[in-house]
Amino acid sequence: MNMPTWHRAVLKVGSALIAPDETGTSTKYLLAIARFIIECHEQGKEIVLVSSGSAAAGRKHIACNQEKIPVVVKKAMAAVGQTDMMANWSRFFDFPCAQVLMTHGDLRDRARYVSVKNTLHTLLEHDVLPIVNENDALATDEMKVGDNDNLSAMVATLVDADALFICSDIDGLFDADPRIKPDAKKIPVVDVIDEKIYSLAGGTTNKIATGGMRTKIEAAEKATSHGIDTYIVNGRVGATFEELLNGNNPGTLFKRQQDPMSNKKHWLRHTLISQGEVLVDEETVEQLTKHGAALTAAGIVDVQGDFNRGDAVLVRSADSADAIAKGICQYSSHELIHIKGHETSEIAEQYGYSPITEVIPSNDLMILEEEYV
Ligand SMILES: Nc1ncnc2c1ncn2[C@@H]1O[C@H](COP(=O)(O)OP(=O)(O)O)[C@@H](O)[C@H]1O
Ligand SMILES: N[C@@H](CCC(=O)OP(=O)(O)O)C(=O)O
């Protein structure tokens, strides 16, 4: 028997486990998961639960006969179902549970990101089980993560977890969707997540689930690049959790990268969404990629999109159109259009701007290793 090497883990439980009949809440599969959480607590391990299932739970209260549930109805289902989902979990534990609802809007704003990070850490220090979900009732398309697989990876980096367990209704990643191709084979270990791995993933057939296997691979990519081992496991099988407690891999293990990104760089790369683009000359590409320089106005040849100070932007080579870097811009697009191509010393003189020397300081600039779309 191995001993698990992780101390703090994020456990993601999908709708298929909360509501096997696609409506209401069920304890059928949660009992084994709850026992696992209790055992982890007794061993002094820390767990953050990311639970789906609010929309499924709410379907019991809000009737809808349409094949595709309208967004506004799904939000109402999530609002009413969230309390049922929380109550369903809470009854298993004699330690307290905390409901933490968030959206992508909370995670891409650095101050709110740090605030929710502190709250989660404080809950763990006080032996409370945080139960996280997206705030579906109010999230709009622009501000939502959209699926709890990606959300669980963001939470895993927020709390500096050692492991992320994504519990689903399938044994792991297969070389094809086993529901379509019954002879598909499970892949026990993935060392590198590349396009070949993504090409194996299909969607979901479940009415109230989101994403299928692709979002789980995206989550694994986010978490492993932060140094977090990620497992996709079958939450319908009790033995899964015994295996995890014995330090074994009962599903697919995506191995953590050995050289993880810093917290801030990771947040820049995986959480922030670019609001616009700046195109730079070849000399600037070289300065940024080879010498770790900051981006100044002198190297900018064009500005695209409409963004504010403090927004994330993508830096592209004007010659090759390759995406080079992503960073937090100190100027708005409107200001940049005026100062592009000018030396810093000229800017204050000619345009009357306060001379912030760098358009993107190197500390706020993340060089993209591969083509970033
Ligand atoms: N390559 C694959 N390997 C395993 N499952 C896959 C694959 N491609 C698609 N799937 C589907 O993904 C489903 C799990 O995702 P989903 O329904 O979103 O569950 P959850 O609610 O747990 O997030 C599986 O039931 C399976 O049908
Ligand atoms: N936030 C939604 C779940 C979204 C989601 O990703 O669902 P799933 O694919 O079942 O993990 C809810 O609580 O219904």
Side-chain angles (χ1 to χ4, degrees):
M1 182 172 106
N2 301 318
M3 285 307 284
T5 51
W6 50 271
H7 169 70
R8 179 179 295 158
V10 169
L11 185 69
K12 186 261 169 173
V13 179
S15 310
L17 299 172
I18 310 273
D21 301 329
E22 300 189 6
T23 182
T25 54
S26 160
T27 51
K28 187 172 177 190
Y29 299 117
L30 301 200
L31 207 58
I33 302 175
R35 250 193 242 118
F36 170 73
I37 296 172
I38 292 165
E39 183 61 34
C40 289
H41 261 240
E42 282 171 4
Q43 292 185 15
K45 295 185 184 301
E46 295 173 329
I47 298 286
V48 176
L49 184 58
V50 173
S51 180
S52 302
S54 65
R59 274 185 97 193
K60 197 175 116 190
H61 304 293
I62 295 183
C64 176
N65 298 326
Q66 281 156 271
E67 183 54 29
K68 188 169 183 326
I69 304 169
V71 174
V72 64
V73 177
K74 214 168 175 183
K75 285 183 177 194
M77 287 175 174
V80 63
Q82 177 65 24
T83 50
D84 287 3
M85 185 266 274
M86 282 298 298
N88 199 37
W89 278 117
S90 304
R91 63 178 142 155
F92 290 112
F93 308 116
D94 54 12
F95 42 80
C97 300
Q99 169 176 283
V100 183
L101 297 176
M102 60 180 89
T103 65
H104 194 266
D106 302 309
L107 298 169
R108 64 184 176 230
D109 176 279
R110 189 73 188 160
R112 275 146 75 187
Y113 179 90
V114 172
S115 159
V116 65
K117 180 184 173 97
N118 290 339
T119 305
L120 288 171
H121 278 284
T122 308
L123 289 169
L124 291 175
E125 274 163 28
H126 288 81
D127 287 331
V128 176
L129 174 68
I131 305 182
V132 179
N133 195 2
E134 181 136 44
N135 199 344
D136 297 306
L138 56 82
T140 56
D141 276 352
E142 301 77 50
M143 63 187 280
K144 68 181 181 189
V145 177
D147 69 88
N148 277 0
D149 297 319
N150 276 289
L151 180 67
S152 68
M154 292 175 189
V155 170
T157 64
L158 259 180
V159 299
D160 289 318
D162 314 302
L164 168 62
F165 303 123
I166 299 179
C167 304
S168 188
D169 58 355
I170 197 108
D171 287 344
L173 173 69
F174 284 66
D175 57 11
D177 184 347
R179 292 189 206 288
I180 294 167
K181 211 169 158 242
D183 61 345
K185 299 219 162 22
K186 190 177 86 173
I187 302 170
V189 178
V190 174
D191 288 301
V192 180
I193 299 172
D194 53 18
E195 270 316 308
K196 234 171 82 197
I197 294 294
Y198 273 108
S199 71
L200 307 177
T204 177
T205 49
N206 188 317
K207 247 203 188 126
I208 33 79
T210 315
M213 200 41 69
R214 183 170 180 93
T215 51
K216 291 174 185 30
I217 298 173
E218 287 169 2
E221 189 180 357
K222 282 189 172 72
T224 53
S225 70
H226 197 72
I228 301 169
D229 280 331
T230 302
Y231 298 75
I232 297 176
V233 296
N234 195 339
R236 290 191 167 177
V237 179
T240 291
F241 300 99
E242 285 157 34
E243 292 291 306
L244 289 178
L245 283 168
N246 290 337
N248 297 327
N249 165 23
T252 297
L253 162 63
F254 296 82
K255 283 191 173 171
R256 66 176 183 269
Q257 283 180 19
Q258 293 306 326
D259 191 12
M261 292 176 199
S262 73
N263 270 341
K264 186 157 184 194
K265 298 252 158 162
H266 189 277
W267 172 75
L268 259 171
R269 173 76 168 87
H270 289 295
T271 305
L272 270 192
I273 295 171
S274 306
Q275 306 296 321
E277 298 191 359
V278 290
L279 277 72
V280 298
D281 60 27
E282 272 318 281
E283 193 189 325
T284 304
V285 171
E286 171 116 3
Q287 284 299 321
L288 301 184
T289 54
K290 304 240 165 80
H291 305 290
L295 176 66
T296 60
I300 299 177
V301 296
D302 201 5
V303 179
Q304 288 173 0
D306 193 10
F307 49 88
N308 296 314
R309 286 184 187 193
D311 279 347
V313 295
L314 201 61
V315 181
R316 269 190 202 282
S317 154
D319 285 357
S320 67
D322 284 349
I324 303 300
K326 194 172 166 191
I328 302 171
C329 196
Q330 308 252 39
Y331 288 92
S332 69
S333 50
H334 181 72
E335 290 168 316
L336 272 190
I337 285 166
H338 289 286
I339 65 171
K340 69 181 164 61
H342 290 278
E343 294 299 333
T344 309
S345 55
E346 297 168 5
I347 299 172
E349 231 172 79
Q350 290 187 20
Y351 298 97
Y353 286 110
S354 60
I356 301 171
T357 37
E358 294 159 344
V359 172
I360 306 179
S362 56
N363 193 30
D364 287 342
L365 197 66
M366 166 78 202
I367 303 298
L368 304 167
E369 319 75 43
E370 64 233 53
E371 175 62 9
Y372 180 84
V373 204

